[in-house]
Amino acid sequence: MSDRPLSGVRVLDVSTILAGPLASALLGEFGAEVIKVEHPVTGDPARHYPPLEDGESAAWSMIGRGKRSVTIDLHHAEAARLVGRLAAAVDIVVTNFRPATLRRFRIDFDDLRAYRPDLVMVQVSAFGRTGPYADRPGFARVAEAFAGLTHRTGTPEGPPVFAGYPVADGVTGIYAAFAAMLALRQRDLTGQAQLADIPLYEPLLRMMEDFIVEYGASGETRERQGNRNPHISPNDLYRTRDGRWLALPASTEQMWRRLVKVMDAGDLAVHDSMTARLEHREEIEARVAAFVAAHDLEPLMSLLHDAGVAAGPVNSAADICADPHIRARGSVVEVPDGRTGRPRLMQAPAGRFSGFDATIGGAAPALGEHTAEVLRDLAGLAEPEIDDLRHRGVV
């Protein structure tokens, strides 16, 4: 295997909690050196999210893994100079503060470009740098509601509901890492500084292909339909005889024919188009539900897969960690943690590549673990200067 594709790329992560830190973590998994800027006293708020193990957040162990931790109090008058000197030594800066906050800290794109004229900056914020809402605060749940995802989630008779994970943070973190690659490529082509302005809500809005198009065509907004896909039937979660839940979507004509055959339900074959199946949805969903309810999960999975029908269980964390396929691919791994002396169980980088390996790069760092070496090696500060900054609470 060759070096990872981002080997030699250096990232300054001036962000907190999830979307920005996730973007920088993904870049790190593929070779980038990631330097994480944190508050000298509290660190990233994600360090304190429960559940805690040995005083450290399980979430932080994922978000911070493989990074180097540098402490800088961004509220301090001298912080902007330090961040600028670090920006001069990196390729990409990732932030997720409000635009007004970056201006107040004097670490906005125009500020940092003065230190590195060809800087790449990925700025994640709730609503973006432009528009009337640019300086509104917001988190993932606000973005999910604003983008319409929450409107679509839940049962028709109930209120809107959030997913069990802050989807906007996850999707935007991945999109921000993608944007960093686009901006870096453009910088390499033109030699010019690049700014990627990524609001939390826009990647979600982009992801829901049918949402606005459907409204534009009909003038109507489709209401919540629970677990059912409004465009596909059968497509639901069905409960097995032993109490497990099964995802069973028949999204194509071929899959529908296979499902009808394995159900021994030839009379349903007359519904030979998605339009016809949606017209007879209640009957079809009831028949599929009854078929699933007559079987235990594992024998049913074997029956369906032998027939070429796509289906999968609703897995808990325990199910995931015990699954033979996940174990065979190494989708969940143990990461050594030298500070606690015990390995941590966590997700591996996603995907497998023929020419390189993605790696985790070690456990999450202690707060400020790398402050002195980074300020010395990247910002060019001498030890007495670093000691003075520490004494005055700047780092």
Side-chain angles (χ1 to χ4, degrees), residues 297-366:
L297 177 69
E298 292 302 330
L300 177 58
M301 290 282 292
S302 297
L303 183 66
L304 292 170
H305 291 161
D306 288 347
V309 176
V314 176
N315 281 336
S316 68
D319 297 326
I320 289 168
C321 291
D323 188 271
H325 182 82
I326 287 173
R327 294 172 68 175
R329 279 186 60 88
S331 305
V332 172
V333 296
E334 288 188 345
V335 177
D337 189 337
R339 289 184 289 117
T340 65
R342 294 202 309 273
R344 286 185 176 272
L345 198 64
M346 59 181 65
Q347 300 93 308
R352 302 294 178 268
F353 302 87
S354 63
F356 58 89
D357 286 324
T359 61
I360 291 172

Side-chain angles (χ1 to χ4, degrees), residues 71-116:
T71 55
I72 301 176
D73 184 352
L74 297 176
H75 299 85
H76 199 284
E78 294 187 45
R81 176 180 67 91
L82 287 178
V83 174
R85 292 179 71 162
L86 292 176
V90 304
D91 298 282
I92 302 168
V93 174
V94 177
T95 75
N96 65 355
F97 292 101
R98 278 185 279 171
T101 302
L102 292 176
R103 294 192 295 270
R104 187 174 75 251
F105 288 159
R106 294 179 293 119
I107 57 171
D108 197 12
F109 178 60
D110 292 330
D111 298 311
L112 298 184
R113 190 168 47 171
Y115 291 89
R116 174 153 187 173

Side-chain angles (χ1 to χ4, degrees), residues 227-229 232-240 244-252 254-260 262-263 268 274 277 281 284-295 297 300-314:
N227 290 318
R228 294 181 176 182
N229 185 311
I232 299 171
S233 180
N235 188 315
D236 208 337
L237 294 174
Y238 306 96
R239 197 160 199 175
T240 61
R244 295 288 302 277
W245 287 95
L246 182 75
L248 181 57
S251 303
T252 65
Q254 182 182 53
M255 201 61 64
W256 168 245
R257 289 193 292 270
R258 291 173 182 173
L259 179 59
V260 166
V262 79
M263 288 174 60
L268 293 180
M274 191 61 71
R277 290 195 291 280
R281 173 165 224 158
I284 289 170
E285 298 287 0
R287 292 279 294 277
V288 174
F291 167 73
V292 171
H295 296 78
L297 177 69
L300 177 58
M301 290 282 292
S302 297
L303 183 66
L304 292 170
H305 291 161
D306 288 347
V309 176
V314 176

Side-chain angles (χ1 to χ4, degrees), residues 41-349:
V41 178
T42 60
D44 191 308
R47 286 182 178 270
H48 312 290
Y49 281 6
L52 302 178
E53 182 182 353
D54 297 316
E56 185 170 285
S57 167
W60 168 250
S61 70
M62 278 290 294
I63 298 166
R65 67 187 190 181
K67 299 181 182 181
R68 302 167 75 191
S69 173
V70 176
T71 55
I72 301 176
D73 184 352
L74 297 176
H75 299 85
H76 199 284
E78 294 187 45
R81 176 180 67 91
L82 287 178
V83 174
R85 292 179 71 162
L86 292 176
V90 304
D91 298 282
I92 302 168
V93 174
V94 177
T95 75
N96 65 355
F97 292 101
R98 278 185 279 171
T101 302
L102 292 176
R103 294 192 295 270
R104 187 174 75 251
F105 288 159
R106 294 179 293 119
I107 57 171
D108 197 12
F109 178 60
D110 292 330
D111 298 311
L112 298 184
R113 190 168 47 171
Y115 291 89
R116 174 153 187 173
D118 63 348
L119 179 71
V120 169
M121 186 167 182
V122 178
Q123 184 176 335
V124 176
S125 60
F127 295 97
R129 287 170 60 95
T130 59
Y133 304 161
D135 284 322
R136 287 185 180 181
F139 293 104
R141 301 307 199 193
V142 175
E144 290 158 26
F146 187 76
L149 179 64
T150 311
H151 174 84
R152 305 182 67 169
T153 309
T155 58
E157 66 279 2
V161 298
F162 291 128
Y165 171 84
V167 178
D169 277 331
V171 171
T172 304
I174 296 169
Y175 198 93
F178 169 62
M181 294 296 89
L182 296 178
L184 193 65
R185 170 66 170 163
Q186 187 71 358
R187 197 271 303 276
D188 290 345
L189 290 173
T190 66
Q192 297 176 350
Q194 303 292 325
L195 171 64
D197 170 17
I198 313 293
L200 274 174
Y201 76 90
E202 278 188 350
L204 274 183
L205 188 60
R206 168 61 184 85
M207 186 176 67
M208 298 185 289
E209 287 85 0
D210 61 329
F211 193 48
I212 300 302
V213 173
E214 188 175 283
Y215 170 74
S218 68
E220 297 180 357
T221 298
R222 188 181 293 274
E223 297 300 324
R224 294 179 293 282
Q225 298 193 14
N227 290 318
R228 294 181 176 182
N229 185 311
H231 308 296
I232 299 171
S233 180
N235 188 315
D236 208 337
L237 294 174
Y238 306 96
R239 197 160 199 175
T240 61
R241 184 168 56 193
D242 53 352
R244 295 288 302 277
W245 287 95
L246 182 75
L248 181 57
S251 303
T252 65
E253 298 307 310
Q254 182 182 53
M255 201 61 64
W256 168 245
R257 289 193 292 270
R258 291 173 182 173
L259 179 59
V260 166
K261 184 175 181 180
V262 79
M263 288 174 60
D264 193 22
D267 59 306
L268 293 180
V270 296
H271 307 309
D272 58 357
S273 71
M274 191 61 71
T275 299
R277 290 195 291 280
L278 289 172
E279 289 175 355
H280 295 85
R281 173 165 224 158
E282 296 306 321
E283 175 196 359
I284 289 170
E285 298 287 0
R287 292 279 294 277
V288 174
F291 167 73
V292 171
H295 296 78
D296 291 341
L297 177 69
E298 292 302 330
L300 177 58
M301 290 282 292
S302 297
L303 183 66
L304 292 170
H305 291 161
D306 288 347
V309 176
V314 176
N315 281 336
S316 68
D319 297 326
I320 289 168
C321 291
D323 188 271
H325 182 82
I326 287 173
R327 294 172 68 175
R329 279 186 60 88
S331 305
V332 172
V333 296
E334 288 188 345
V335 177
D337 189 337
R339 289 184 289 117
T340 65
R342 294 202 309 273
R344 286 185 176 272
L345 198 64
M346 59 181 65
Q347 300 93 308

